[in-house]
Structures are given as structure tokens and as C-alpha cells.
């Protein structure tokens, strides 16, 4: 620091000499706790009032109207008058080097705001609403509005708030350290809603300067810009009280769940190929979902992300709905509108990994803070991303709070947790020698397992009726069993084995299907070990895998018939249902996230037929208890015949509450006349769905609408039906007398 002016009294000069090193650190933007030196707090402990104001010509108090003396030729200013004459929260008048005058409250006149209890809970990993503490929080302190900024950076030497309000200058608003908690905070008064900001962080070991987006920001700029947006949320007029109350008491295990998986950026766009707003999407999607009969929509991640091509799975904003489609209020409107029209909303959520973008979580304070230091634990080789350190309480708290945030603040009905398998195994997709065993020498990620169990326990305790869905592709036991019984505690998991077996079978030419019959029957050996969802998701229609329609063999007619048969099988097989957008009308092209679905094809009869079939399957599934009541229980399913591989025919019963439906599926293009199946009782049956119906653009082959059993015992049953099975098609029959 330069020589002090001769205008200052001896006492002030003496004090300044004792804090010379502090002032030098502040001037060099390297002080860990400027609140101990600047502003009101120091003034109250017998020191002079010190202010630091770079690029300033003159600095004065508004009350009393008195100029502050510059210390030498530095950017420090000092007031040596009576401290009792200064208001508790005084204002400063600044004339900057561009001759602009501004009037503002000094941030360093305000005491620290975050309580010790909040910090202790966060350090213990148990502050479930830490998103109301860290980040940018709008506060009114004794009638003075402003924003309290707070972030966790334990290995920083200095953290500053930078933004459009201080010319992105890290010298202007250094934050105050909260000691061993690793939290830094600063209340900046007078900032308006909509202010852009980041954190500038100086690492205490290397001195490296990093510029980071706020991990807890609840709104971020539209890519490619990366600043956080401090936007004050107004109270939202929720209209979904009835939905939320009903959800809390719903026995979801025994209710229908038909999920429409949707990428908002490519479901529909405007004429100029621009994104639609959340509100526009809400209105259009609700109409479409009601028409087609889906009960829920599952959104590919709408958490903020920098790269469109990641579809949201490389998240940087765990508390921020992406600004591609509007702001937080717009997304609340989306959820509320869905709920008031009886459509549930599920979100894809990604706690398994995060991207390496410089503005994000990677080496947040110059150290491996959210991730592991050792790449054998801290890096996903396949995805080029980083793995969370689930053993660190503050990291675990960050993720727990993110999950609860969407359920609490946006009334989300459940989370589909992405890439759970990669979390469970330390050697996931790794070569020998490229992973570190756990403390017992195994490949289980014990910290991730503990995190998932805590996550599911907390969600189920706090939000009854909310669903936690695992994308888990291995045979890990008890994924959907309660934590107290040794399970992971998820509500449901995707049945990836069923999906792969089914698609492998369906892609075979029907001539060869007889040799692969077990791919359809094997799943019943394990189907009730977990609570399964049957997914035909976005993952199956990208990266040159082709659309579901074009996976099917044969000519055009056969491909559409096979697709209708596939959906009939899915909707009558035990398990909840999920279908990716576009598949419901048989889109031919592989999904392209950069453009809207090929809606024009719906004008053609074959595509119309597929959508009509999916609509009717949804209607049957949601109105026939036999198709949903016991999706996860042996009581709801019984084979009629699983052995007819020679003719590639499957037949089974779905039952509930004394009622049953017969399902017969013919996987060959041959009409099978007089095909006999056993029935549990005598009487008449009605064909309530024929996927080969002309209404679905089929050939209209197969048995008539009503059939009578005869007394011929068959397949160990007392009566039987003779059916004409349509080609590449399924029949669903209901007993009527």
C-alpha cells in the first residue's frame, strides 16, 4: 500500500498501520474475510470506517454529508468522524472515473445473515432446503431490499460476487468467509430482480482465478451465455390443490401409469423452427395427451444445460429450469396446467455425473470439490463427464436439495433418476486397473448406495405419492424394495432386459422367430421381482439405431403390423408403460433433437392407424383393472400357452378382482385359422381389440366380435375357444357372459 496522507489523525494512522496487510490483501483481491476490515462492523469496534472502492474519484457519506478521505493514492477511503453520527445502514455517494454518480448502501454495513444452525445442517448433509440459504436470496433487512449471495467454496482464498452491477469486477464485492463451513456470503443491497451474476473464486493454494456460475442459481442465461440470473420469484397462483391431495393418497402400485416421454425442444416448434414457450407447450401437449390417453408426461431433463445435443443430460443448473422455453414462472404454469387437466409430470434428473464446462461445477474452487480427485473414481470415460463425490456431506446435500426442490417448488410428481447403474458400480464401464475397490475390496459404490437410499427415504417421507424411478440396467437386487428391507427404495425401475429382448425378437424376420421364442417368455421369470416400467424410450431411436417402425422387418405393411403388435404386447404385459414421443404415430425417421417431429406423416392411413391403436390401448389400459391392478404381482398374470414357438404364438390371461382378459399374439404374417386356446370358464367372449383391424389400417382378418367357448378341455383348462388369429397382430378378449 502507498504512503498514507498527512491529513489523517495519528490514531487513524496507527490503526491503518496495524491492518496494512489486510488492506493489501483486499487491494490484491486475496482477502478471505473483508467483513472484518471494511464497513460498519470494524467501525463499531473502535476502528475507523473503511471503504474500498476501485475506479472511484470521490466517495462520501450521504448522512452525514461528508467526504471520505482517500488513503494515499489507493482505492481505500476512510471516515474518522463520530461513528454515532452514521446511520446503521448508511449510504455512499460515488463519483467514478467516468464522471458518473451513484448512491448506494454499503454492503459491509450489514451483519452476516446465515445462521450457525443452517451452516451446521449443511455441513452434516441434512439441510433439505439449502436452496433457500445458498445461492441468490432476495431479502429485506430493516426495510432495505437486496440480494444475499452465498456459495460453498472451502478451498478458496477469496470469493467475490461479480455481475452486471459491478462491471464484473472481482475487487468490488468480495464475500465474507463463514469459517470451517466453507460457505461465503454477502448481502448486496439495492440490486434489482434480473441482475446477472457469477462468482469469482481465487484458490488458496495455486492462486488460480476461476469464474463460476452459481450452483444454486434458480435461473440462468440462455446458452451460449452462462451467467446466473437473480430473479425474484413472485407467489405463483397454484390451482392444483385437488391433484396434489389426491396424489398423496393414491395407491400408485395398483393404478395405471402410461408415460409419454417427451423432449420439449423437438416435440413441436414454431414455423421458424424456434422453441415454443412452456405455456404454449402446456396447452398443446395437454390437448394431445388427453386425445391419446397418456396419464403422465416425462420430460427429458429441463434442468439448465449448455449443450443442446446433450438433451439436458449434462446438467449445469440443478435448480434452474432451462431458459430455452421461458422462466421459472412459465414452467410452474406448465406443471399446474397439466395437473388441472389430470396429467402427471415426471422429470428426468441426473445425479450420476456432470459436465466439465469451465463455468460449472468442475474444480469449482480450484480443487476437486464436487467430484473425486482421482479420475479412476471421478471421471466417466464414456461420457467425458465427472462423477459426484457422494461421500462428501455438502455434495450429498446439494443433490438431495435439488431433488426436493423440484418436488416442492414445482409440484413435480416424480423423478426418473438417470444412469443409476453407473452410480452403483465402481467398475462401471471400466477396464481392469482403472477403478478403485471399496473398503471391502468389492466393486460396489457404497457411498452412492447410501445416497440413493437416503434420497428415496426422504422423498417418500416428505412427498407421499411422489414417484422415484430408476434407470437401472443391471440385475442389482431390490432396487424397488424399501430401504428398511435392504432395498434401494425406488418406486419403480425401467425393465431394460425386457426392452432389449423384445426388440431383438421383433427385429427378426418372422421365419426365424420360432428359434428365439424364449426372448418373449424369459422375462416372466423375474418380472415380479421388481416394480417394472416397460420402456421404449428415446435411447432406442437415436445414434443410428433407427426408429421403432424401421426396426421392424418386412415390407411397409408388415413393418406397421409388427409395430402395432409390439404395442399390443407392451400394453398387455405386466408393468407400467413408457413410450417416447413420435413412436405413438410410427415416425419413420430416427429422432432428431434439432427439429420437430415429423407430424406431417399423421395424415397417412398407416400412421393414423398406429396412433389410433395407441389411443385405444391407453383407453383399455386405464379402464380395465385387469391390465393394471396387479402389474407387479403374480396375481395379475397367468400363461395360457407360452410354448408354441413353432407357430410363434403367445397367449396369456390378465386378471383382477375376479375379472380376466385373454390376450393372444401372433408373431407371424400367417392367418392361423381355428387356433384353439383354453379358457378358465365357459361363456361368451368379445374381441375388444384387434390390432389388425381396418380402423388401425390393418387387413381386418381374424375372428368376429363375439365368440362362444365350447366344452373341449384345452391346455389344462375346462373350456376353450377356437380363434382365427390375424397376421402379425394381437387380440384382446373380454368375457361378457
Amino acid at each position: 500500500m502507498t504512503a498514507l496522507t498527512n491529513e489523517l489523525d495519528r490514531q487513524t494512522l496507527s490503526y491503518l498501520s496495524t491492518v496494512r496487510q489486510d488492506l493489501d490483501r483486499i487491494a490484491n483481491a486475496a482477502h478471505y474475510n473483508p467483513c472484518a476490515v471494511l464497513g460498519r462492523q470494524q467501525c463499531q469496534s473502535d476502528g475507523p470506517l473503511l471503504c474500498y472502492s476501485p475506479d472511484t474519484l470521490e466517495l462520501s457519506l450521504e448522512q452525514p454529508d461528508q467526504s471520505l478521505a482517500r488513503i494515499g493514492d489507493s482505492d481505500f477511503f476512510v471516515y474518522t468522524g463520530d461513528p454515532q453520527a452514521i446511520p446503521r445502514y448508511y449510504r455512499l455517494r460515488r463519483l467514478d472515473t467516468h464522471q458518473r454518480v451513484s448512491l448506494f448502501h454499503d454492503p459491509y454495513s450489514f451483519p452476516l445473515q446465515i445462521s450457525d444452525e443452517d451452516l451446521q445442517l449443511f455441513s452434516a448433509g441434512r439441510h433439505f432446503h439449502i436452496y433457500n440459504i445458498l445461492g441468490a436470496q432476495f431479502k429485506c433487512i430493516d426495510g432495505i431490499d437486496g440480494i444475499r449471495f452465498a456459495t460453498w467454496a472451502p478451498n478458496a482464498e477469496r470469493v467475490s460476487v461479480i455481475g452486471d452491477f459491478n462491471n464484473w469486477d472481482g475487487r468490488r464485492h468480495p464475500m465474507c468467509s463463514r469459517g470451517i463451513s466453507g460457505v461465503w456470503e454477502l448481502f448486496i443491497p439495492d440490486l434489482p430482480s434480473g441482475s446477472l451474476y457469477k462468482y469469482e473464486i481465487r484458490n488458496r493454494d495455486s492462486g488460480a482465478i476461476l469464474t463460476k456460475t452459481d450452483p444454486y442459481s434458480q435461473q440462468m442465461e440462455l446458452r451460449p451465455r452462462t451467467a446466473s440470473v437473480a430473479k425474484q420469484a413472485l407467489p405463483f397462483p397454484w390451482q392444483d390443490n385437488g391433484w396434489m391431495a389426491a396424489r398423496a393418497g393414491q395407491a400408485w402400485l395398483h393404478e395405471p401409469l402410461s408415460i409419454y416421454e417427451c423432449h420439449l425442444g423437438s416435440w413441436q416448434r414454431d414455423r421458424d423452427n424456434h422453441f415454443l414457450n412452456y405455456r404454449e407447450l402446456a396447452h398443446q401437449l395437454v390437448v394431445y395427451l388427453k386425445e391419446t390417453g397418456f396419464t403422465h408426461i416425462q420430460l427429458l431433463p429441463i434442468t439448465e444445460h449448455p449443450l443442446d445435443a446433450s438433451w439436458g443430460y449434462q446438467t449445469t443448473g440443478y435448480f434452474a429450469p432451462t431458459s430455452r422455453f421461458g422462466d421459472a414462472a412459465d414452467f410452474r404454469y406448465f406443471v399446474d396446467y397439466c395437473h388441472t387437466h389430470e396429467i402427471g409430470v415426471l422429470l428426468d434428473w441426473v445425479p450420476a455425473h456432470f459436465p466439465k464446462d469451465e463455468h460449472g461445477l468442475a474444480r469449482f474452487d480450484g480443487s476437486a470439490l464436487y467430484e473425486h480427485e482421482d479420475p479412476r473414481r471421478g471421471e466417466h470415460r464414456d461420457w467425458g463427464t465427472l462423477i459426484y463425490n457422494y461421500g462428501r456431506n455438502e455434495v450429498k446435500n446439494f443433490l438431495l436439495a435439488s431433488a426436493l426442490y423440484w418436488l416442492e417448488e414445482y409440484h413435480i410428481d416424480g423423478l426418473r433418476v438417470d444412469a443409476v447403474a453407473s452410480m452403483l458400480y465402481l467398475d462401471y464401464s471400466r477396464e481392469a486397473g482403472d477403478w478403485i475397490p471399496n473398503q471391502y475390496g468389492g466393486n460396489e459404490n457404497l457411498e452412492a448406495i447410501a445416497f440413493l437410499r437416503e434420497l428415496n427415504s426422504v422423498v417418500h417421507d416428505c412427498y407421499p405419492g411422489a414417484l422415484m424411478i430408476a434407470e437401472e440396467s443391471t440385475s442389482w437386487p431390490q432396487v424397488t424394495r424399501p430401504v428398511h428391507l435392504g432395498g434401494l427404495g425406488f418406486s419403480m425401475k425401467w425393465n431394460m432386459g425386457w426392452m432389449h429382448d423384445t426388440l431383438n425378437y421383433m427385429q427378426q424376420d418372422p421365419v426365424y422367430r420360432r428359434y428365439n421364442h424364449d426372448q418373449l417368455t424369459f422375462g416372466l421369470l423375474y418380472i415380479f421381482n421388481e416394480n417394472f416400467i416397460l420402456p421404449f424410450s428415446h435411447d432406442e431411436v437415436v445414434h443410428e439405431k433407427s426408429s421403432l417402425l424401421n426396426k421392424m422387418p418386412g415390407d411397409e405393411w408388415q413393418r406397421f403390423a409388427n409395430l402395432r403388435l409390439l404395442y399390443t404386447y407392451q400394453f398387455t404385459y405386466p408393468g407400467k408403460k413408457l413410450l417416447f414421443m413420435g413412436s405413438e404415430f410410427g415416425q419413420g425417421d430416427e429422432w432428431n433433437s434439432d427439429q420437430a417431429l415429423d407430424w406431417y406423416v399423421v395424415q397417412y392411413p398407416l400412421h393414423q392407424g398406429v396412433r389410433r391403436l395407441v389411443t385405444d390401448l391407453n383407453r383399455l389400459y386405464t379402464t380395465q383393472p385387469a391390465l393394471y391392478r396387479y402389474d407387479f404381482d403374480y396375481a395379475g398374470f397367468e400363461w395360457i400357452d407360452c410354448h408354441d414357438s413353432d407357430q410363434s404364438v403367445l397367449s396369456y390371461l390378465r386378471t383382477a378382482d375376479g375379472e380376466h382378459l385373454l390376450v393372444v399374439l401372433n408373431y407371424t404374417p400367417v392367418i392361423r385359422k381355428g387356433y384353439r386356446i383354453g379358457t378358465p370358464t365357459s361363456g361368451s367372449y368379445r374381441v375388444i381389440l384387434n390390432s389388425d383391424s381396418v380402423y388401425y389400417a390393418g387387413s381386418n382378418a381374424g375372428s368376429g366380435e363375439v365368440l362362444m367357448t365350447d366344452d373341449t378341455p384345452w391346455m389344462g383348462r375346462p373350456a376353450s375357444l377356437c380363434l382365427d388369429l390375424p397376421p402379425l397382430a394381437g387380440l384382446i378378449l373380454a368375457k361378457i357372459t
Side-chain angles (χ1 to χ4, degrees):
M1 193 176 67
T2 58
L4 305 179
T5 65
N6 294 324
E7 301 174 4
L8 301 178
D9 60 62
R10 182 175 299 173
Q11 183 177 357
T12 301
L13 290 173
S14 175
Y15 171 77
L16 292 175
S17 67
T18 65
V19 296
R20 180 184 295 269
Q21 288 185 341
D22 288 304
L23 300 184
D24 286 343
R25 290 192 187 101
I26 291 173
N28 291 321
H31 201 291
Y32 76 98
N33 195 19
C35 294
V37 182
L38 301 176
R40 184 74 181 186
Q41 281 65 44
Q42 189 56 44
C43 178
Q44 288 177 326
S45 60
D46 298 328
L49 175 66
L50 281 173
C51 297
Y52 179 65
S53 187
D55 303 322
T56 299
L57 295 176
E58 296 177 4
L59 194 67
S60 60
L61 286 166
E62 178 190 38
Q63 182 184 351
D65 186 4
Q66 182 173 336
S67 295
L68 276 65
R70 183 187 294 273
I71 302 175
D73 59 358
S74 73
D75 291 318
F76 289 95
F77 297 81
V78 61
Y79 167 78
T80 58
D82 180 7
Q84 301 303 317
I86 307 174
R88 182 178 183 184
Y89 304 120
Y90 53 87
R91 293 210 292 180
L92 297 169
R93 183 182 295 107
R94 175 179 182 246
L95 175 65
D96 68 19
T97 53
H98 297 284
Q99 301 295 317
R100 295 172 300 198
V101 177
S102 56
L103 188 66
F104 58 93
H105 289 91
D106 184 1
Y108 302 99
S109 68
F110 293 84
L112 298 176
Q113 301 292 311
I114 300 176
S115 72
D116 289 340
E117 181 182 6
D118 285 322
L119 295 176
Q120 290 165 5
L121 283 171
F122 176 59
S123 295
R126 299 292 297 174
H127 201 310
F128 299 146
H129 297 90
I130 192 64
Y131 56 82
N132 289 327
I133 305 300
L134 301 184
Q137 307 295 333
F138 284 82
K139 299 293 179 183
C140 183
I141 299 176
D142 291 342
I144 301 170
D145 293 324
I147 304 174
R148 185 191 69 209
F149 296 92
T151 194
W152 178 60
N155 297 303
E157 181 179 32
R158 183 264 306 173
V159 181
S160 296
V161 184
I162 58 174
D164 56 1
F165 45 85
N166 63 12
N167 202 30
W168 304 93
D169 186 345
R171 300 172 299 167
R172 295 282 303 280
H173 290 106
M175 303 174 77
C176 302
S177 170
R178 296 304 305 271
I180 61 172
S181 71
V183 171
W184 303 72
E185 71 165 287
L186 184 68
F187 177 74
I188 305 181
D190 310 319
L191 290 186
S193 178
S195 296
L196 303 180
Y197 73 100
K198 288 186 177 182
Y199 297 119
E200 185 178 275
I201 302 172
R202 179 185 175 111
N203 180 264
R204 69 185 176 194
D205 296 321
S206 67
I209 305 294
L210 307 106
T211 302
K212 295 291 188 176
T213 301
D214 184 356
Y216 288 87
S217 60
Q218 298 181 16
Q219 186 171 327
M220 296 169 68
E221 286 188 292
L222 178 63
R223 53 86 178 103
R225 297 185 297 273
T226 58
S228 298
V229 183
K231 187 170 183 180
Q232 188 167 19
L234 299 175
F236 186 81
W238 290 100
Q239 305 296 312
D240 65 348
N241 292 341
W243 170 275
M244 297 297 286
R247 189 191 80 183
Q250 188 179 47
W252 55 265
L253 279 167
H254 304 296
E255 296 295 330
L257 180 68
S258 182
I259 302 167
Y260 188 70
E261 189 189 31
C262 183
H263 177 255
L264 290 181
S266 59
W267 181 74
Q268 185 63 274
R269 294 192 178 187
D270 69 14
R271 293 180 179 178
D272 297 319
N273 201 36
H274 295 152
F275 297 134
L276 301 181
N277 180 274
Y278 288 118
R279 296 173 187 257
E280 296 173 299
L281 286 162
H283 286 264
Q284 294 187 29
L285 271 164
V286 162
V287 169
Y288 188 71
L289 295 173
K290 298 300 283 186
E291 286 177 352
T292 49
F294 291 93
T295 65
H296 288 68
I297 184 170
Q298 180 176 305
L299 303 179
L300 270 63
I302 54 85
T303 40
E304 193 58 84
H305 51 282
L307 181 65
D308 288 9
S310 78
W311 315 324
Y313 288 100
Q314 295 199 7
T315 296
T316 52
Y318 276 77
F319 297 85
T322 178
S323 54
R324 288 166 174 81
F325 317 116
D327 62 17
D330 294 328
F331 185 60
R332 285 186 172 92
Y333 180 91
F334 178 97
V335 177
D336 192 54
Y337 192 81
C338 288
H339 283 175
T340 56
H341 290 82
E342 299 185 322
I343 300 293
V345 182
L346 307 172
L347 289 188
D348 268 13
W349 183 66
V350 190
H353 61 116
F354 59 93
K356 297 179 180 179
D357 297 68
E358 289 186 0
H359 68 277
L361 295 177
R363 302 196 74 84
F364 183 76
D365 61 1
S367 69
L369 187 62
Y370 286 85
E371 69 271 34
H372 295 272
E373 183 71 53
D374 192 323
R376 292 175 297 173
R377 291 204 68 184
E379 185 172 352
H380 267 302
R381 309 293 196 195
D382 293 347
W383 304 327
T385 54
L386 300 173
I387 301 170
Y388 283 104
N389 183 350
Y390 305 104
R392 194 159 197 168
N393 284 340
E394 296 88 348
V395 174
K396 180 179 67 173
N397 203 152
F398 170 77
L399 292 170
L400 283 171
S402 171
L404 300 179
Y405 172 78
W406 296 101
L407 300 170
E408 174 73 27
E409 300 296 329
Y410 291 94
H411 292 197
I412 295 301
D413 298 297
L415 301 174
R416 178 265 196 185
V417 181
D418 182 65
V420 170
S422 75
M423 300 171 67
L424 295 174
Y425 299 95
L426 295 168
D427 61 346
Y428 180 86
S429 193
R430 292 182 182 274
E431 301 293 334
D434 192 31
W435 61 281
I436 303 173
N438 63 34
Q439 65 194 77
Y440 304 109
N443 67 342
E444 303 88 356
N445 189 333
L446 302 179
E447 295 165 347
I449 294 165
F451 163 72
L452 290 171
R453 286 172 169 161
E454 182 174 5
L455 167 69
N456 289 320
S457 297
V458 171
V459 167
H460 293 318
D461 286 346
C462 295
Y463 302 97
L467 301 175
M468 295 297 290
I469 301 167
E471 188 220 6
E472 202 286 308
S473 55
T474 75
S475 57
W476 188 278
Q478 299 195 98
V479 172
T480 60
R481 295 300 178 255
V483 169
H484 70 272
L485 296 179
L488 293 182
F490 283 97
S491 311
M492 287 171 273
K493 68 171 279 187
W494 281 15
N495 194 337
M496 308 294 280
W498 173 89
M499 179 272 296
H500 286 300
D501 285 348
T502 298
L503 291 182
N504 286 339
Y505 178 88
M506 293 300 298
Q507 290 177 85
Q508 298 285 329
D509 186 293
V511 171
Y512 303 109
R513 286 177 176 171
R514 60 187 298 184
Y515 306 113
N516 298 279
H517 198 69
D518 62 322
Q519 290 185 313
L520 295 183
T521 60
F522 175 74
L524 265 298
L525 297 178
Y526 63 82
I527 188 65
F528 302 115
N529 293 344
E530 300 278 8
N531 302 333
F532 280 120
I533 291 176
L534 311 177
F536 293 131
S537 75
H538 66 281
D539 279 329
E540 311 317 314
V541 294
V542 290
H543 301 320
E544 300 183 358
K545 295 178 186 175
S546 108
S547 66
L548 289 183
L549 175 64
N550 285 335
K551 291 181 192 295
M552 302 297 109
D555 58 23
E556 181 182 57
W557 187 91
Q558 289 190 21
R559 285 189 288 112
F560 277 92
N562 272 304
L563 189 64
R564 296 192 301 267
L565 173 59
L566 174 69
Y567 293 158
T568 305
Y569 177 54
Q570 178 191 26
F571 275 82
T572 58
Y573 192 90
K576 308 308 181 185
K577 324 301 177 188
L578 180 142
L579 199 59
F580 183 58
M581 65 180 197
S583 301
E584 80 281 4
F585 60 77
Q587 171 153 317
D589 289 339
E590 187 176 83
W591 172 50
N592 182 351
S593 62
D594 292 327
Q595 64 187 41
L597 298 176
D598 294 337
W599 291 103
Y600 72 92
V601 303
V602 182
Q603 65 184 304
Y604 302 121
L606 287 169
H607 294 276
Q608 288 179 0
V610 173
R611 189 164 73 173
R612 286 173 176 171
L613 175 73
V614 170
T615 299
D616 283 354
L617 285 170
N618 268 324
R619 177 182 53 79
L620 281 177
Y621 173 64
T622 55
T623 58
Q624 295 283 342
L627 291 178
Y628 66 76
R629 183 66 52 79
Y630 298 108
D631 268 332
F632 309 136
D633 193 311
Y634 285 103
F637 180 90
E638 190 175 340
W639 283 116
I640 296 174
D641 186 6
C642 63
H643 300 296
D644 193 359
S645 58
D646 286 343
Q647 299 185 86
S648 297
V649 174
L650 282 182
S651 53
Y652 47 84
L653 292 170
R654 294 301 309 277
T655 62
D657 305 329
E659 303 291 332
H660 64 265
L661 297 177
L662 300 178
V663 180
V664 190
L665 307 169
N666 177 15
Y667 288 91
T668 66
V670 177
I671 299 175
R672 303 206 175 273
K673 297 281 189 179
Y675 190 90
R676 186 175 292 275
I677 64 168
T679 60
T681 59
S682 301
S684 58
Y685 285 80
R686 183 188 304 277
V687 176
I688 59 175
L689 186 138
N690 176 356
S691 70
D692 188 50
S693 166
V694 68
Y695 182 66
Y696 309 130
S699 63
N700 223 33
S703 295
E705 184 178 353
V706 178
L707 301 100
M708 291 291 299
T709 64
D710 58 43
D711 294 332
T712 304
W714 202 257
M715 301 173 179
R717 299 183 183 277
S720 56
L721 278 173
C722 255
L723 303 170
D724 292 339
L725 302 185
L728 297 174
L731 299 177
I732 306 175
L733 299 93
K735 193 171 187 298
I736 54 178
T737 60

